[in-house]
Amino acid sequence: MPAIDLAKAPQPASTNPAQIRNFCIIAHIDHGKSTLADRMLGITEVVDQRNMRAQYLDRMDIERERGITIKSQAVRLPWRSGLDGQEYILNMIDTPGHVDFNYEVSRSLAASEGAVLLVDCAQGIEAQTLANLYLAMENNLTIIPVLNKIDLPAAQPEKFAEELAKLIGCQPEDCLRVSGKTGAGVTELLDQIVKQIPAPVGDPNAPARALIFDSVYDTYRGVVTYVRVVDGHLSTRDQIQMFSTGVRHEMLEVGVISPEPVVSKGLGVGEVGYVITGVKDVRQSRVGDTITTYHNPTKVALSGYKDPKPMVFSGLFPLDGAEYPMLREALDKLQLNDAALVYEPETSAALGFGFRCGFLGLLHMEIVRERLEREAGLSLISTAPSVVYRVVKGDGKDLIVTNPSEFPNDKIEAVFEPIVRATVLAPSEFIGAIMELCQERRGTLLGMDYLSEDRVEIRYTLPLAEIVFDFFDQLKSKTRGYASLDYEPIGEAEGDLVKVDILLQSEGVDAFSAIVHKDKAYAYGTMMTSKLRELIPRQQFEVPIQAAIGSRIIARESIRAIRKDVLAKCYGGDISRKRKLLEKQKEGKKRMKMVGRVEVPQEAFIAALTTDADVDKAKAKAKGQ
């Protein structure tokens, strides 16, 4: 957490709720949310011009390097309205745009009364624009439609204003036109936020109720909790308690984010700020919990948030087994800041002790791994991502399978896999390529609508397992980068799924098993056997690598034996002497094949279980042994 700006005087105890407006900015990825937020920080002068930098609210190195927002950030902006000349407090939340960070968006919406729906004038309405709009509508928020990047030569504000108006149910002239880069129209937007978005509603005399919408761990100060006060009042030195656990704390400090932390005397109805209690136990501050006062507690908790449902599972293991306790502590602290992350301990015969982690998507998984490595200084292995299956056994019992090693070997009645509803928005010229890709991935067409003459929305149901790997990359390459994708889980469906076992020397290696569709089992078997043939060092006997479904072998590769030259010591002489030595070697190889065991090097496990990016490095290490 950044250092407190001591130069600023403490804020007043609380602000009149009628002067407060809580809103968030929602849009598809790369439509200019962070740039617009920067412009608002500059116009309201909460950040000095000399300290201003691009993407000011993106605090993490990863966000700045990749140019994406990962964490939603709340900031308090003072604003004198040009419409009535009064002073207002705007609590703005800048949200991520990628589908994998949708949980951040849903939490931001629950803490707001209104949303600024941003659409890029050059790109138009995209999949995540629709998804975020529907989320805002579910939360009954006031929506202000805004067209951004009007300064671009390729901007088509008139065309996209009509599309946006048709979608929301307003007039095209109601869509505000702004440029986050030049600042055009941003002042008018701030005035419209004051005018259109309702003030927060709450009872200042009721027992205090505040919703925890985010938290972060500070090495020196402990857990810093970000709250939105709904009823009552929170002041410094109040005795507070968590509604779910009943744990009692003393508030050491309370303040607002503007955009650096500024100490205040308290927080009233509708205000957004932070609370520090000095607690070091990260489990005592759960996102979605209700904070109330100890001496006058509320009887009714706030509704909180829906628990996030992991879409993709992957194992995270430390390269050095001694780092396991450090990984557990790092995951605890990261979960405080990333409520969508779920994990449980897991043991692998190949990789040792680690954690089975649930993520909202592949980008979420990649970001979590990178944050753990950077923030905790760990070296990690992540196994290939998989989804959750439900297996109905022969005796009618259900079994939840998150890892192929848990898949039963006895009689199976049915296997159910998660299904998602995918929405693809793209120019109409790419309809054929998109439909071909979706059908290859076992998709079922739900419907198709034209948003305009040249833009189409295609809806498919797809198995989640088919889109968690490279579906998005394939979609982008087939549509020259114009298509956008959004998906949501809609349940499960029975699938013709089998477990492919990889056998080394006729012994199964659980770590290499996978649950795949029957039609793709052969392709997976040949890919894994050929990959392992290159990764596993040669032995003194021939090693068969087989892929099997049950007892049926579907693919095979062999690692040729290292042959010692036993005839090197024969300098001529009778041929029977040479034959005797060769027969003796042949018998030895046969006996060795019966009793010999294949030691798979760690690098081979890592390369086979992780993505292809690590394979070349692992091959070099394996060959060097």
Side-chain angles (χ1 to χ4, degrees):
M1 183 177 175
I4 291 170
D5 190 349
L6 295 175
K8 293 189 181 180
Q11 299 287 311
S14 61
T15 307
N16 179 4
Q19 305 300 109
I20 296 173
R21 299 292 184 271
N22 296 320
F23 72 99
C24 57
I25 305 174
I26 55 174
H28 188 83
I29 192 167
D30 201 30
H31 277 213
K33 294 179 297 301
S34 297
T35 309
L36 180 61
D38 286 350
R39 186 58 58 187
M40 287 180 174
L41 293 178
I43 288 175
T44 55
E45 298 179 352
V46 292
V47 179
D48 294 336
Q49 201 59 43
R50 61 182 178 177
N51 295 328
M52 195 63 194
R53 63 170 195 264
Q55 280 82 46
Y56 189 88
L57 295 178
D58 290 347
R59 300 298 174 88
M60 284 188 280
D61 293 341
I62 304 174
E63 290 181 312
R64 305 191 69 76
E65 285 167 19
R66 291 174 177 251
I68 59 172
T69 302
I70 294 166
K71 281 291 300 171
S72 56
Q73 296 287 348
V75 59
R76 179 184 175 113
L77 308 171
W79 179 244
R80 180 181 289 277
S81 172
L83 301 175
D84 59 12
Q86 291 191 42
E87 294 279 352
Y88 290 91
I89 294 295
L90 309 181
N91 288 313
M92 175 190 72
I93 304 178
D94 179 28
T95 65
H98 197 281
V99 62
D100 282 15
F101 306 110
N102 211 28
Y103 191 59
E104 292 284 324
V105 181
S106 66
R107 296 206 330 257
S108 304
L109 291 169
S112 308
E113 277 80 36
V116 172
L117 181 69
L118 211 57
V119 173
D120 188 328
C121 263
Q123 297 181 57
I125 296 164
E126 300 201 54
Q128 202 60 30
T129 313
L130 290 176
N132 289 337
L133 170 63
Y134 298 148
L135 270 176
M137 286 175 166
E138 281 175 27
N139 283 271
N140 296 319
L141 298 191
T142 301
I143 295 160
I144 301 177
V146 178
L147 294 167
N148 192 23
K149 304 188 185 180
I150 57 169
D151 56 306
L152 291 180
Q156 297 175 280
E158 304 304 326
K159 176 187 175 184
F160 294 126
E162 285 187 20
E163 282 188 26
L164 198 50
K166 198 186 297 180
L167 197 65
I168 295 174
C170 63
Q171 297 302 315
E173 53 270 21
D174 294 338
C175 299
L176 301 176
R177 291 159 171 78
V178 305
S179 169
K181 187 176 180 181
T182 64
V186 179
T187 303
E188 291 78 5
L189 171 58
L190 290 168
D191 284 341
Q192 287 303 314
I193 287 167
V194 169
K195 181 182 176 182
Q196 295 186 34
I197 293 175
V201 177
D203 184 353
N205 301 314
R209 291 197 303 169
L211 181 68
I212 300 176
F213 68 88
D214 205 356
S215 46
V216 67
Y217 187 83
D218 185 274
T219 310
Y220 304 104
R221 320 191 79 195
V223 178
V224 181
T225 305
Y226 296 104
V227 298
R228 152 81 196 265
V229 179
V230 176
D231 292 322
H233 188 270
L234 293 177
S235 303
T236 310
R237 297 296 172 188
D238 273 354
Q239 296 288 324
I240 61 167
Q241 70 176 15
M242 303 295 169
F243 193 92
S244 63
T245 59
V247 178
R248 177 181 176 183
H249 305 295
E250 182 182 358
M251 277 207 301
L252 302 179
E253 184 178 303
V254 63
V256 296
I257 301 101
S258 185
E260 307 303 329
V262 179
V263 181
S264 75
K265 296 176 183 175
L267 296 173
V269 171
E271 289 196 278
V272 175
Y274 69 90
V275 169
I276 297 176
T277 59
V279 173
K280 296 280 185 179
D281 185 355
V282 295
R283 294 177 189 83
Q284 291 186 13
S285 182
R286 196 170 51 81
V287 166
D289 201 357
T290 302
I291 290 180
T292 186
T293 48
Y294 180 75
H295 297 295
N296 184 21
T298 181
K299 300 285 192 295
V300 183
L302 296 165
S303 56
Y305 308 109
K306 287 180 186 172
D307 286 332
K309 190 174 181 184
M311 306 282 272
V312 178
F313 283 84
S314 174
L316 283 179
F317 297 85
L319 264 175
D320 181 358
E323 290 184 344
Y324 175 75
M326 291 166 61
L327 174 59
R328 181 171 53 202
E329 189 180 340
L331 279 167
D332 279 345
K333 289 177 181 174
L334 185 58
Q335 192 182 40
L336 189 70
N337 191 235
D338 184 355
L341 172 67
V342 296
Y343 61 93
E344 59 182 27
E346 181 185 39
T347 310
S348 163
L351 303 173
F353 291 100
F355 291 90
R356 189 83 181 155
C357 302
F359 308 96
L360 298 184
L362 286 190
L363 179 64
H364 185 213
M365 171 181 145
E366 194 181 327
I367 294 295
V368 166
R369 177 181 167 175
E370 200 165 333
R371 285 186 71 184
L372 287 169
E373 288 181 340
R374 287 189 186 199
E375 293 169 19
L378 298 166
S379 297
L380 300 174
I381 308 163
S382 58
T383 62
S386 64
V387 299
V388 185
Y389 298 96
R390 181 169 67 88
V391 179
V392 181
K393 296 167 71 176
D395 56 4
K397 289 183 180 175
D398 279 7
L399 181 68
I400 302 299
V401 175
T402 59
N403 194 336
S405 61
E406 299 167 359
F407 200 86
N409 293 319
D410 47 359
K411 192 170 185 303
I412 292 169
E413 286 292 325
V415 182
F416 291 87
E417 61 181 338
I419 298 292
V420 297
R421 173 195 167 102
T423 305
V424 179
L425 268 76
S428 51
E429 64 186 282
F430 300 115
I431 290 174
I434 293 166
M435 293 178 88
E436 185 184 349
L437 175 65
C438 291
Q439 279 158 4
E440 276 174 21
R441 302 300 180 100
R442 301 189 282 133
T444 306
L445 182 65
L446 287 176
M448 188 165 66
D449 289 317
Y450 280 85
L451 297 177
S452 63
E453 287 179 14
D454 55 353
R455 283 181 70 75
V456 67
E457 175 189 331
I458 306 174
R459 296 179 301 281
Y460 265 90
T461 56
L462 285 156
L464 179 59
E466 294 288 346
I467 64 170
V468 295
F469 284 99
D470 62 345
F471 181 82
F472 189 61
D473 293 339
Q474 290 284 329
L475 181 68
K476 283 287 184 187
S477 65
K478 285 180 182 288
T479 59
R480 299 207 297 272
Y482 283 110
S484 60
L485 170 74
D486 179 56
Y487 59 86
E488 58 175 351
I490 56 169
E492 60 181 17
E494 188 174 344
D496 195 1
L497 302 165
V498 292
K499 178 188 176 187
V500 179
D501 287 307
I502 303 298
L503 311 175
L504 278 180
Q505 196 74 343
S506 301
E507 285 186 22
V509 184
D510 271 347
F512 296 141
S513 301
I515 301 167
V516 295
H517 191 264
K518 201 170 183 179
D519 295 344
K520 299 191 177 179
Y522 175 71
Y524 176 79
T526 52
M527 182 270 293
M528 278 302 286
T529 51
S530 58
K531 191 189 276 190
L532 289 173
R533 183 170 68 87
E534 294 180 18
L535 290 168
I536 296 173
R538 290 169 70 184
Q539 313 289 318
Q540 290 201 346
F541 52 92
E542 186 182 4
V543 179
I545 306 170
Q546 299 165 311
I549 300 173
S551 58
R552 184 164 62 90
I553 305 297
I554 59 169
R556 172 182 168 131
E557 293 278 354
S558 294
I559 301 172
R560 292 180 58 197
I562 298 172
R563 184 171 175 272
K564 183 181 173 185
D565 188 2
V566 291
L567 304 181
K569 58 188 175 184
C570 296
Y571 298 97
D574 189 15
I575 189 68
S576 60
R577 171 73 178 150
K578 293 181 181 178
R579 280 183 184 152
K580 185 178 177 184
L581 288 170
L582 288 170
E583 284 298 322
K584 189 176 179 184
Q585 185 187 39
K586 191 177 175 182
E587 287 297 319
K589 296 271 185 202
K590 194 175 178 182
R591 191 164 56 249
M592 200 183 286
K593 190 172 183 178
M594 291 167 65
V595 298
R597 291 185 60 81
V598 182
E599 289 296 326
V600 183
Q602 182 82 344
E603 289 77 20
F605 273 115
I606 296 166
L609 294 176
T610 52
T611 53
D612 291 337
D614 302 325
V615 171
D616 296 334
K617 188 165 59 176
K619 278 182 194 172
K621 285 187 181 178
K623 283 178 181 174
Q625 289 199 350

